[in-house]
Amino acid sequence: MPGPGTDHSWAQSLLLHSIDVGLVLALTYLVLLIIGERRTLWMVRGLIVLMLAAAVSNRLGLTLLSFVLEKLVVGSAVAMAVIFQSEFRRFLEQLGRGEIVQLFQGQRRPTPKPDSVINEIVDAVKELSQNRVGALITLETNGPIDERDVSVPGVQLNAEISKELLQTIFQTTTLLHDGAVLIRGSRVVAAGVILPLSERTASRKLGTRHRAAMGITERVENCLCIVVSEETGSISLAEKGGLYRPLTSTKLKQLLEERFSPVVDREVVAPGLRNLGRQFKSQGRVLVSRFLRLPSSTSQEKK
């Protein structure tokens, strides 16, 4: 019959395995928070399947299959690091600043904008487009844009947004027309902001405003950029380095409402994992308490 020492080693082994599983769950939870979009979650799931297959084949002693799967896992991980470089850059920056708790809080959802604010923006863009007045409007989504991400921060305004204000700023007779307007919430934070240009090879039909819109959305994930072409009056929307063009004012309004809606097109992965984490936490406490009580119980048996 197994003695007290066997029970103690079994409990210790179970505790170590529980800690191991808990760390894997925490890492998986963190990855799903960093990459929360539905279209990218399938890639993460595919990588997890490859990792599980590699672990199972290694456990079963399938040497060749395990070797191939491990190489596939490494290659897939490198490819994902390149594809999601902005997300991993944010992760490494937070980790370097010691913001461990913020990592597990995930990225905040876009702050919902009132319909009146979106209407003011769309009406202004529509008028500018009809009059062929060039414009560049940057909208913050999840958080404020760091001044280090722009070339020139521009002139601080901190004014309530209105169609008339936006139209006035971009008139060629004003000093602030040659630059971008920065909108935060329902206020125009600054005007005359000079944005970094995209380094991507773009079409020759795209001007400096389009390249600037692509550049800021490449560098800063939490923003959108509306462009009105001075030559053609066409409307474009930049997001994550890409351009939606040409757009009608109705389509622009639809895209803005989708981006700033409280219900974002993201797969809800965190709540289920939170419940799983709570259950694992409670079970872990029970295991730890049992493990800590083992020495005293065994000593009593010896007595």
Side-chain angles (χ1 to χ4, degrees):
M1 294 181 62
T6 306
D7 293 337
H8 184 274
S9 60
W10 176 84
Q12 186 176 10
S13 176
L14 182 60
L15 178 61
L16 291 176
H17 280 83
S18 302
I19 294 174
D20 190 17
V21 173
L23 292 175
V24 171
L25 288 176
L27 182 59
T28 306
Y29 176 77
L30 191 59
V31 170
L32 293 178
L33 284 178
I34 294 173
I35 308 170
E37 293 186 1
R38 182 172 300 174
R39 58 187 178 185
T40 56
L41 275 175
W42 293 109
M43 300 178 65
V44 178
R45 290 171 179 172
L47 178 62
I48 293 174
V49 169
L50 281 177
M51 294 172 62
L52 291 175
V56 170
S57 61
N58 187 30
R59 187 74 174 178
L60 295 176
L62 304 176
T63 309
L64 183 58
L65 180 61
S66 176
F67 174 79
V68 173
L69 289 175
E70 286 177 0
K71 298 304 178 184
L72 284 175
V73 168
V74 173
S76 302
V78 173
M80 289 183 62
V82 174
I83 295 172
F84 306 121
Q85 55 181 327
S86 59
E87 287 85 354
F88 281 107
R89 184 184 68 178
R90 185 177 69 250
F91 165 72
L92 292 176
E93 287 176 353
Q94 288 183 294
L95 192 63
R97 290 195 295 263
E99 299 175 354
I100 306 298
V101 178
Q102 287 81 351
L103 287 174
F104 287 90
Q105 292 176 351
Q107 188 177 0
R108 292 178 294 173
R109 292 177 179 269
T111 304
K113 288 183 179 292
D115 292 337
S116 59
V117 174
I118 294 179
N119 290 336
E120 292 290 333
I121 296 173
V122 172
D123 290 343
V125 169
K126 183 179 179 181
E127 292 289 337
L128 292 168
S129 173
Q130 291 175 349
N131 297 325
R132 293 196 176 183
V133 177
L136 188 58
I137 303 173
T138 304
L139 296 86
E140 295 179 347
T141 54
N142 297 323
I145 297 176
D146 196 322
E147 289 187 357
R148 294 172 294 182
D149 290 322
V150 300
S151 301
V152 179
V155 179
Q156 299 296 315
L157 295 181
N158 194 24
E160 192 70 24
I161 192 171
S162 67
K163 176 181 69 174
E164 294 77 13
L165 176 60
L166 292 176
Q167 288 179 302
T168 302
I169 290 174
F170 289 112
Q171 294 301 316
T172 55
T173 54
T174 64
L175 297 176
L176 299 177
H177 79 279
D178 194 13
V181 162
L182 177 60
I183 295 178
R184 179 178 301 156
S186 61
R187 305 190 71 81
V188 178
V189 179
V193 181
I194 306 301
L195 304 178
L197 300 181
S198 173
E199 297 180 356
R200 294 184 181 180
T201 302
S203 172
R204 294 182 179 179
K205 297 180 181 180
L206 301 180
T208 306
R209 288 188 178 90
H210 294 87
R211 291 181 59 198
M214 294 169 62
I216 188 63
T217 54
E218 284 173 1
R219 180 175 296 190
V220 181
E221 187 183 58
N222 56 326
C223 74
L224 302 172
C225 210
I226 303 171
V227 185
V228 178
S229 173
E230 188 174 354
E231 289 77 14
T232 63
S234 65
I235 303 172
S236 306
L237 179 67
E239 182 182 20
K240 296 181 179 179
L243 278 177
Y244 297 93
R245 61 180 295 269
L247 300 175
T248 62
S249 58
T250 303
K251 184 61 177 178
L252 175 65
K253 182 178 180 181
Q254 178 185 346
L255 290 174
L256 292 179
E257 288 175 345
E258 289 176 358
R259 300 304 185 274
F260 291 101
S261 172
V263 181
V264 185
D265 186 21
R266 284 176 175 260
E267 197 162 319
V268 182
V269 295
L273 286 174
R274 287 195 184 99
N275 294 333
L276 182 61
R278 292 192 189 102
Q279 295 177 7
F280 178 77
K281 185 178 180 181
S282 61
Q283 294 295 329
R285 287 178 177 175
V286 173
L287 290 174
V288 171
S289 61
R290 289 179 179 176
F291 174 72
L292 293 177
R293 284 199 300 266
L294 278 175
S296 58
S297 62
T298 53
S299 61
Q300 290 176 0
E301 291 177 0
K302 289 180 179 179
K303 290 179 181 178

